Amino acid sequence: MPHLPALRTLLPHTTIWDAAELATRDPGFDARNFGASALVRPRDTAEVAALVKFCAEHGISLVPQGGRTGLTGAAATVAGQVICDLGAMNRVEEIDPFARTAIVQAGATLGALQEAAGQHGLDPGIDLAARGSATVGGMVSTNAGGILAFRNGTMRHRVLGLEAVLPDGSVFSDLTCVLKTSAGYDLKHLFIGAEGTLGIVTRVVVRLDPLAGASAAALVGVPDAASAQRIVRHFLGSTAARLSAAEILWRRFADAMQRALNYTPGQLPLDAPCLLVLGLGADSVEAAQSLLEEGLADIWEEAGIIDGLVAASQAQAELIWRLREETEQIERMHHLPPSFDVSVPGGALDEYVTRIEAGLKAIDASYAPYVFGHLADGNLHISINTDGPVSHERHEAIEDVLYAGLTQAGGSFSAEHGVGLEKREAYERHADPVKQALARAVKAMIDPGNMMNPGKVVAL
Amino acid sequence: MPHLPALRTLLPHTTIWDAAELATRDPGFDARNFGASALVRPRDTAEVAALVKFCAEHGISLVPQGGRTGLTGAAATVAGQVICDLGAMNRVEEIDPFARTAIVQAGATLGALQEAAGQHGLDPGIDLAARGSATVGGMVSTNAGGILAFRNGTMRHRVLGLEAVLPDGSVFSDLTCVLKTSAGYDLKHLFIGAEGTLGIVTRVVVRLDPLAGASAAALVGVPDAASAQRIVRHFLGSTAARLSAAEILWRRFADAMQRALNYTPGQLPLDAPCLLVLGLGADSVEAAQSLLEEGLADIWEEAGIIDGLVAASQAQAELIWRLREETEQIERMHHLPPSFDVSVPGGALDEYVTRIEAGLKAIDASYAPYVFGHLADGNLHISINTDGPVSHERHEAIEDVLYAGLTQAGGSFSAEHGVGLEKREAYERHADPVKQALARAVKAMIDPGNMMNPGKVVAL
């Protein structure tokens, strides 16, 4: 890239890698992440702004990257592009234990924020399996969800304020630290979930919640999702219990996970059509276990529970949680098969799963999806049992089965992974046309040169 | 207005009032609300769209109105304008008890939504004193907050989806019913808190939460806000208690309210410098009362509590709540004095109150503000003890004292009432300039003819 010497002169103390260097590094979850001609790792907002101005002047497109754990290709790059890597802006700058807020640099990992907040008995209220590498900036840019979203909202609901560098190099500064503000358009929401296409998020104010003193887990066998929902509703209705997880695993997924993890058959009770993993916080482990036991006993008959196990130890709880969380086992088993991430409106989960099972069989009689996810917010993850990726046409046929009518019913074809490159076509086919037109107008207004992560989310 | 006959032909079955009719009607909280030349009350989204198209074609500006309970003049109108009154679109269309969502027309009151949700043991999770007349559409448009926001977020956090008619008459339709969606820019947030300047909100999907089985209230005397915050933090940290209100009343306000409400001195213990009103939900009244008593006993010494009373009956709880909620007593007593609504970051409440007391005294030695509000989110309401409104210059001097440094410290000069007309100048003086420029660009893009509630929030 001919601009590298000038860039090195502009930012003499900043880490800059060229394409040759990038080729020797780990690109993260997506092999395309390091296709760019250079990577720049600014150390503060001023350096990000200088980089953005430089790129704007030279017509270079910029792609921001955090932990490179994204699943939709939103951080993929090609030759001629420059990566703005936020990895050096990784500090938790400030925690206010009374206001229950943290000011965090975009490159800090979720794990680092959880640890810093935990020292004050607080927690960011959002959790996901990639916590060790996913960054706060990346989670803001994809509006990450995870296990706790049904209670605490998605990343969008945890952000009180943010700072972002706009495509012209100016700094949008809204480091609001309070929950309540009605002081004009709340424009920070444009940058949340924009996957870096409208600017580069540099700092974030995150809302924190008090940590539960202790927690316990249960594994419950139920006939269907409706039964699991009755159980969840029962726990949510009790003010004494603080439900912290309600994950559902359909039988085929649970069986495959049990084999992949080499669990002894019978080690966990996994014989029901659906398994519900419950997490519950309380002031002590004993209290959490009792609340789970009592709650399940109260709703046992009404929900038609088949069997249930409240973990008696931390080790047993981990055994249950690995069954839900180590989903890369499925990816590995099927060599990166087509995977999907939908939100299905509450009342329709069983009907949806029955419908897609039939629809997928109609495409290919061997198709039998793995279905699991976040029950309490209707967010299902679906992997197909193919051997590796499928053709573009086949992928589209699968999407048609999975996404048909979903937007109209109030659901979403992309629940928590974003649009990136993978869901661009689905976005164009399934998102409301007026919304799409408005999104293009917003993109054209804020980034008229189309320099910020071009080709992702919206096409100009 | 010369267009009235054409409008009546266009919408033959729709209620339309002319200026003469408007002059005979109650304009609500702001005398300026009915200054327009006509009011139209559409019965559905299609009629709103037809009205908007008509006004766009004829260069008429439109002002949407809900319950007309706004406090910043956002619904004020002048001759030549047309009011789009959402009062006929007042139905709670659908409640899904498992998904815990409601689809509501914009003109439904908060009270109507609370009642409909309550029939399923659910609640919209937001509450404010004007619940009987404030509408869901108005609350979305001002991003209303209220008593429960510290726990459940503001209106913005309760909205899952919305439908709005844009200034060109097209319908932005995003009736998402799920919490998790990362399917492109989340543009509904442009309309939340926009006070009708970007379009007219017609339908809203609101998230619901299970109602607590019962609740109890306490009145606690403390030396300062820091002490009250320690108490709140203690209750928030316990998973067994579900804190549902934490309101603070500085002594001068509590004294004035006690007199205005004709309470017998000593009827409630009001001798401390600050009073904290706590609400707590539990599975029974007895459980809620015990949790309040035990929690206060646990933190009594550490927080330096002066005195405390857990309401023994519903009547006593109401006595406590009237002290906080009937704030119109102060308005009446001082003939609509200057009133303000700020968010102060957590750690700085006592310092802020001390600073503004001194700053106001420096303007006029007789100034002694009434201060009260939502402790747990730092949202303070402040009324000055003048006799009626003050001059423009004096108002600005008071604002300078109250707002100085607030945005920079992460607070807000408008916490939950919006900008409207009243805070336009404050917005221009205190909001971030990059944010203001972006807001103007958004307004110019979506409403190039400046026909939607012109002159409110942003000036073109």
Side-chain angles (χ1 to χ4, degrees), chain A residues 7-70:
Chain A
L7 205 45
R8 288 202 162 103
T9 306
L10 179 71
L11 300 168
H13 306 293
T14 306
T15 299
I16 298 180
W17 292 344
D18 60 14
E21 178 78 32
L22 278 168
T24 69
R25 303 282 182 158
D26 173 10
F29 279 20
D30 194 313
R32 298 167 297 181
N33 285 345
F34 279 175
S37 296
L39 175 150
V40 181
R41 189 173 290 135
R43 296 165 306 164
D44 57 27
T45 303
E47 288 196 358
V48 175
L51 171 63
V52 169
K53 273 187 191 140
F54 179 91
C55 289
E57 277 161 23
H58 295 86
I60 302 167
S61 70
L62 256 178
V63 180
Q65 292 187 353
R68 291 180 274 271
T69 56

Side-chain angles (χ1 to χ4, degrees), chain B residues 198-215:
Chain B
L198 297 176
I200 299 178
V201 174
T202 46
R203 290 198 291 169
V204 184
V205 185
V206 180
R207 191 178 165 193
L208 305 173
D209 284 333
L211 269 171
S215 66

Side-chain angles (χ1 to χ4, degrees), chain A residues 177 180-181 197 343 410 412 414, chain B residues 177 180-182 185 343 410 412 414:
Chain A
C177 293
K180 276 186 182 171
T181 181
T197 60
S343 277
S412 179
S414 185
Chain B
C177 293
K180 276 186 181 170
T181 182
S182 294
Y185 306 163
S343 277
S412 179
S414 184

Side-chain angles (χ1 to χ4, degrees), chain A residues 97 120 142-143 146 149-150 156 177 179-182 185 197 207 233 239 282-283 343 374 376 379 410 412 414 416, chain B residues 100 120 142-143 146 149-150 177 179-182 185-186 197 207 233 239 282-283 343 374 379 410 412 414 416 418:
Chain A
H120 299 272
T142 54
N143 183 27
F150 78 95
R156 181 180 302 285
C177 293
L179 182 74
K180 276 186 182 171
T181 181
S182 293
Y185 305 164
T197 60
R207 193 179 163 192
R233 177 63 197 275
T239 48
D283 294 340
S343 277
H374 312 289
N379 176 193
S412 179
S414 185
E416 57 178 3
Chain B
R100 303 180 300 283
H120 299 272
T142 53
N143 184 27
F150 78 96
C177 293
L179 182 74
K180 276 186 181 170
T181 182
S182 294
Y185 306 163
D186 197 349
T197 59
R207 191 178 165 193
R233 176 66 195 275
T239 49
D283 294 341
S343 277
H374 313 289
N379 176 194
S412 179
S414 184
E416 58 178 2

